[in-house]
Amino acid sequence: MDLTGLILRVTAERPHVLLATVPGGAAVRLAAERLLRARDWPQASTPAKADLLLVAGPDLPELRTALERLWRDMPAPRARVHARTPDEVEAALDSGRALLGSPAVQRESAAPPGEAGGHREGEHGAQERHEGDDQAPGHDRDGGGEGEAGRAGDAHGGPDGEHAPHDAGQDTEAENGDGRQAPNGQTPDSQDPDGQAPDGQDADGHGDHGDHGGHGDHGDHGDHGGHGGHGGGQTDMPGGLPMAEPGADRDGLTLDRLHLPLGPFLADWPAGLTVRLVLQGDVVQRADVDEPARPSDDAAVEAFWVQPWLRAASGEPVTVGEAVRRRAAAHLDSLGRLLAVAGWPAEAVRAGRLRDDLLSGAPRAAVAPRLERLTRRVGRSRTLAWLTRGIGVVTAQKAREAGAGGPAARADGDVAARYRQWLADIRHDLPRLEDPAPLDVAVEESPRGPWSAEAPPSAALIALLPPLLEGAELAAARLVVASLDPDPEELVSRGVVEVARG
């Protein structure tokens, strides 16, 4: 009996796919998520749980090293494919499945580096996996955390008799100082905050496909920096972990400091964004944001979410209905990623499906009832509000000083205020999906604020991140980033680059 061949065939039948989205790959990511849901292929949120790596978007030389490190952290059997446009996604997934199921390819790619089958894209390559690769620094971050930030993380758990999940990646369950369970990733059999289906299931009772990497057994935050591909270029240290060093904390005490990069390829994370943290315990002492990777001249990036505004600014006729439809879909995309980070994958899947329906041109009558149910459930969730209140407060004045507009400025508050602002904006845009009036860029703002090629709104959102993250617990850091959801594509898109070049 060919046991190896049988295992490969089973793996290839329903592979776990890790999406690595580069700036310019938003449309490819959306196409991949739709197709993965249709095929019932689960998404992986960590390299350790992935069989197939799908790189989505153009080839950006600056990110090749990070992609290689991500690839190295995937266990065999594995395959790697690249889809540069949405039309290439289906063929790339088919190719990846064929590579996974081929014993000849797996034997060849398992050869030591430098021999036949080394690290060629699209093939497997078995490498030694160092102890500690599956659990990153900062993973055990919630013990003893108190206050508002200490209640936030990857999963729900709180009042009202709702389930408080634990991190399936840990051997024991840490608790906060106030007796609440640490908000880590949910277990596969836990329920969402308001009695939804078990984690990993969507509204129709399917498996864990399409939940944006919010699978409980993956422990989203635990991957920050532990895998080389997520670190965005940090030097390898023994066991794959960066060494700590002593330093004074915010209270003047001398404690170990850990340098931890978040990005550029985390699940439910702005594509290509790298935030470098200095941690003492689980508290962020310093945060710095790298410049986003820029394309070469032959790989121009088109910012997906602001395309109607870019086209209108260039003189092309664009209707208000097209613009507000794209804006509402962008808010649903941001909301789904936030819900996945917060540990509510069932509603994250619903948000993703509504986003896809809007982008495909579904009429208002077809989406209005479902949008109303989603906004009501999310907006009224006491657990979600309890987990996010008081975290990452951005006042209207602070937003104006940073040059930020749009939902972040109007929300005038914390993470909870920002996701509620998204919901309010979606409700406002819903009656205007078929508005035939011509788009006025100066009147209708883009998803993240008033559009300007000279000062893209995401630039101001990125500038807000360092002061918001400093002093926050690591469990809250990803919620803060998800609630602002800056789009690095805006900074490197063709229109912006042309303006910058004069």
Side-chain angles (χ1 to χ4, degrees):
M1 182 182 197
D2 182 7
L3 184 58
T4 299
L6 176 61
I7 293 174
L8 292 177
R9 287 193 297 273
V10 171
T11 301
E13 184 66 25
R14 191 170 179 262
H16 288 68
V17 180
L18 179 64
L19 270 174
T21 308
V22 303
V28 184
R29 170 178 65 87
L30 297 176
E33 290 177 357
R34 287 194 298 269
L35 189 55
L36 291 177
R37 281 203 304 268
R39 293 189 175 191
D40 194 19
W41 289 11
Q43 282 187 240
S45 64
T46 71
K49 298 292 185 180
D51 308 308
L52 176 60
L53 173 63
L54 173 60
V55 182
D59 182 23
L60 301 188
E62 292 183 44
L63 295 178
R64 287 175 185 168
T65 300
L67 283 170
E68 286 302 319
R69 299 182 67 188
L70 190 71
W71 168 243
R72 287 202 311 266
D73 286 335
M74 289 176 57
R78 61 181 182 172
R80 174 178 174 178
V81 291
H82 192 165
R84 293 167 178 80
T85 66
D87 293 338
E88 297 177 8
V89 170
E90 185 169 10
L93 291 178
D94 290 340
S95 174
R97 179 163 61 178
L99 292 169
L100 273 176
S102 171
V105 169
Q106 297 307 314
R107 282 193 297 269
E108 181 183 355
S109 64
E115 298 183 12
H119 302 285
R120 294 198 298 271
E121 183 169 310
E123 294 186 1
H124 276 44
Q127 289 192 350
E128 179 181 357
R129 297 171 64 234
H130 298 289
E131 182 178 355
D133 279 353
D134 290 345
Q135 186 161 310
H139 193 85
D140 188 11
R141 71 215 181 259
D142 294 309
E146 289 185 301
E148 302 297 339
R151 292 197 293 269
D154 284 337
H156 286 276
D160 316 320
E162 293 166 339
H163 191 80
H166 68 276
D167 189 341
Q170 299 278 33
D171 294 329
T172 59
E173 294 180 358
E175 290 190 353
N176 288 328
D178 57 3
R180 290 186 290 266
Q181 276 191 343
N184 298 318
Q186 295 200 16
T187 55
D189 58 349
S190 62
Q191 289 188 339
D192 69 54
D194 295 298
Q196 289 283 353
D199 285 0
Q201 291 189 2
D202 60 21
D204 299 325
H206 293 300
D208 55 358
H209 58 287
D211 57 359
H212 308 280
H215 308 297
D217 60 344
H218 296 170
D220 289 356
H221 293 311
D223 307 315
H224 303 168
H227 300 288
H230 293 194
Q234 182 158 321
T235 304
D236 282 331
M237 300 299 289
L241 307 179
M243 298 293 288
E245 60 184 25
D249 74 349
R250 298 166 67 90
D251 298 322
L253 302 175
T254 301
L255 301 173
D256 282 343
R257 295 186 302 184
L258 181 65
H259 295 263
L260 180 65
L262 303 185
F265 298 118
L266 290 172
D268 304 298
W269 181 261
L273 182 70
T274 300
V275 180
R276 301 188 180 276
L277 305 180
V278 177
L279 296 174
Q280 286 182 308
D282 63 350
V283 178
V284 178
Q285 301 295 325
R286 179 177 174 180
D288 297 291
V289 181
D290 288 358
E291 286 289 327
R294 296 186 177 275
S296 58
D297 291 338
D298 59 348
V301 168
E302 296 288 352
F304 177 79
W305 295 114
V306 295
Q307 278 185 8
W309 287 265
L310 289 172
R311 289 162 45 209
S314 67
E316 183 178 342
V318 180
T319 67
V320 170
E322 181 181 353
V324 298
R325 182 180 290 272
R326 183 66 60 96
R327 183 170 62 202
H331 291 335
L332 285 168
D333 185 63
S334 298
L335 178 65
R337 287 142 68 98
L338 173 66
L339 293 173
V341 170
W344 203 355
E347 292 304 311
V349 170
R350 290 188 178 93
R353 286 177 170 167
L354 283 165
R355 171 204 67 195
D356 293 344
D357 288 346
L358 285 177
L359 292 175
S360 66
R364 176 179 177 272
V367 297
R370 295 159 56 211
L371 273 171
E372 179 60 30
R373 286 194 296 270
L374 176 75
T375 56
R376 184 172 61 248
R377 285 187 57 78
V378 174
R380 294 180 181 178
S381 172
R382 290 173 292 180
T383 302
L384 184 60
W386 178 77
L387 285 170
T388 56
R389 68 171 183 247
I391 298 174
V393 176
V394 178
T395 63
Q397 180 179 354
K398 184 187 296 185
R400 287 194 298 270
E401 291 172 352
R410 289 195 302 276
D412 191 21
D414 54 13
V415 171
R418 288 193 286 277
Y419 75 70
R420 285 171 172 159
Q421 185 64 53
W422 285 335
L423 297 175
D425 289 352
I426 292 170
R427 292 192 193 98
H428 178 264
D429 285 339
L430 189 57
R432 309 169 65 204
L433 296 180
E434 284 89 23
D435 190 337
L439 172 64
D440 185 347
V441 176
V443 174
E444 294 290 343
E445 66 180 29
S446 69
R448 290 162 177 85
W451 175 250
S452 169
E454 293 81 3
S458 286
L461 297 179
I462 291 175
L464 283 171
L465 285 177
L468 285 179
L469 298 179
E470 291 173 4
E473 294 186 7
L474 181 60
R478 284 210 59 189
L479 284 170
V480 173
V481 175
S483 69
L484 291 173
D485 199 25
D487 183 9
E489 286 187 4
E490 293 183 3
L491 281 63
V492 298
S493 68
R494 187 197 306 268
V496 172
V497 171
E498 290 173 352
V499 169
R501 291 175 177 172

